[in-house]
Amino acid sequence: MFWEQMLTVAFLGSVLGAGVRLAAPLLFAALGELFAERSGVLNIGIEGMMLFGALCGFLGSYFSRNAWIGLLTAMIGGGLLSLIHAYLSITMGADQVVSGISINLLAQGLVTFLNRAIFGLPMLPPSAVPFTKIEIPLLSKIPLLGPLLFSHHALVYVALALVPIVYVTLFRTTFGLRVSAVGEDPRGAEAVGIDIARTRYICVILGGMLSGIGGVTLSLANLNLFKESIVAGRGYIAIAIVMFARWNPVTTLGAAFLFGIVDALQMHIQSLGIALVPPQLLLSLPYIATVLFLVSRAGASSAPSALCVPYVKEH
Amino acid sequence: MSGIQQHFISSPSLGRLVKGLSRLPRLLLSVVAGYLRELGVGLLAILAAMVVVGFMIAAAGLDTLRAYRALLEGSVGSINGISETLVRATPLILIGLGIAVAFRGGMWNIGGEGQFYLGALGAALVGIYLPPMSPVVHVLLALLSGFTCGGLWAAIAGYLRARRGANEIVVTIMMNYLAAFLISFLVSGPLRDNSRLIPVPQTPRIVDSAVLPRLIPQTRIHAGFLIAIVAAVAVWFLLERTTVGYSIKATGENPEAARYGGINVPLISTLAMVLSGGLAGIAGMSEVTGVHRYLLEGISPGYGYLAIAVALFGGLSPLGVILSALFFGALMVGAEAMQRAVGVPVATIYLLQGLVVIFVLARQVLLRRRRILDLKA
């Protein structure tokens, strides 16, 4: 009975589709983290940047009645927070973990304050203009493949398109090679004339902007509402995805999709209403999966060598 | 040099004593000056954050000065206010101490919230299901159970980090969510109090012998605060006066050097994690047996996360943790008064807390840089 309900084309199709949709915010944040980490800066603060991006994007769309303006404000919000992280950890040489944690605390405070100051505590959560579903004609009708790839809101397509773009940027352009050099051997990179601080600033800010988009994907696309618990650890899951994917954008896509599927499965099994499994166990699945994935591929053999090491110029 | 002086100096122990005594005033002065500087940094960060938030309150069209007066009066303006401040400070001190131990040992334990939950569970089980007995024994058993449960929960992350290299930041955060789901499942199912007409998701009351006594009648301040102070002294002693404490600090500062110096780094970092989780577990025990007397779903209003701010703001030292926990506890209590008096949302204090931490971090980095520059010059 249980399996009969699950093994139908319709059910599998909707799980796959939801998996991609739920993977999108993780993918944005993970690609952002990828840039920062490859340049040697661990950004624990992406949880806060996603949260701030989710609110900024929601507000942008709420006041302008245009979802794309929301996307823009989310990027600005995430970017601004990442600027603090960049300043503290690159310019000031602060401990990157402490700086990231502080930013998460700050973001939580800032977001709670702004949310309550602007919306108060309404009975019904306010809604903004969301990103709507764009069905690609014909292609979206293919069983399984249609719901998987061709029946999504715009940000899913953007996220998927971003993977090859990030790949090419990181591995086929001068900028990407510079990023790797800075992350692996900053001293040597500086010797050949690369500006360490500038490269790291660009990567961290890029990461913050992408995290902001990840946040707005939650508040304006996957859901159309904002709540202070909307990110619920997805920033940290994105960090785990980057480690699991060994700092490579293509495997990052795969890992994000895997997490999306786990999340989609737990939601769909819940909606089947099977009393045997407590809902809390289903809700736990993405978090358990994160721990298992981390353990299964632990050992930081391919981590950028200069990750977490502040760079001090020698004179 | 006169004969008597020579005699004094040639006697080695007496000579050292005199020398030591003559250095004492300067030593004391430098220690006090160090504390004062730290305190100054903290107060400056608070002031800066309050100015920023003050402008935001004013921008929202509210009276900043009246809001801050209400904040002060609500938190420390009455016996009840002070008692409530201490009630909030108690779990913050305990979890904050734990975080300080972990951070000093190089383990980024962000899992205080989950470890707090597990400690609360451990204490509730002992309080509900053991028969009434001598209060001292019962409370001690609850404490032990809370410490053990919190410690074991943290040990998972510690072990995975030390032996398998899994990033402890991510693991402890994930464990926070798992702990919240576990408690939610237990109090709405297996452990639920079904004697009520309409069952709510909470456990039955713990038996009287497991309840922590109140310190002042008519207020909520309970013996958990004393436990927190004792714990702070114990952590200070551990870190400053024992080999284990030295190993923890050495591992945190430079694991390679520590390994070279013969320290079993995986063991020590797992131990730091267990102690850290155990302290958070005691905080959970103190909340169950001192404040609520039963276990409920939302037993923590985010103490575990706030305690990270407490620990960082307290400079990861036991005394600093106590002072900053008192400050953050007062903020929590005062914020409610502020909302009642002026209509400033309680959430404002979250912003204040975040800003304080950022400012104190910036200041500390500035101080360190200046010191490095001084050394270079």
Side-chain angles (χ1 to χ4, degrees), chain A residues 5 26 36 40 43 78 102 107 125 152 154 166 175-176 184 192-193 225 253 267 271 284 304:
Chain A
Q5 267 177 305
L26 295 172
N43 188 357
S102 307
H152 290 293
V166 170
F175 172 72
E184 293 294 342
V192 296
L225 58 88
L253 170 66
M267 287 167 94
S271 67
S284 302

Side-chain angles (χ1 to χ4, degrees), chain B residues 196-238:
Chain B
R196 291 164 164 270
L197 212 57
I198 306 157
V200 288
Q202 64 187 45
T203 66
R205 200 176 179 281
I206 58 175
V207 298
D208 282 335
S209 58
V211 171
L212 276 177
R214 297 263 151 101
L215 297 180
I216 305 171
Q218 312 294 321
T219 67
R220 297 202 305 161
I221 177 71
H222 55 91
F225 181 69
L226 302 180
I227 297 179
I229 298 299
V230 172
V233 176
V235 166
W236 175 83
F237 187 81
L238 173 85

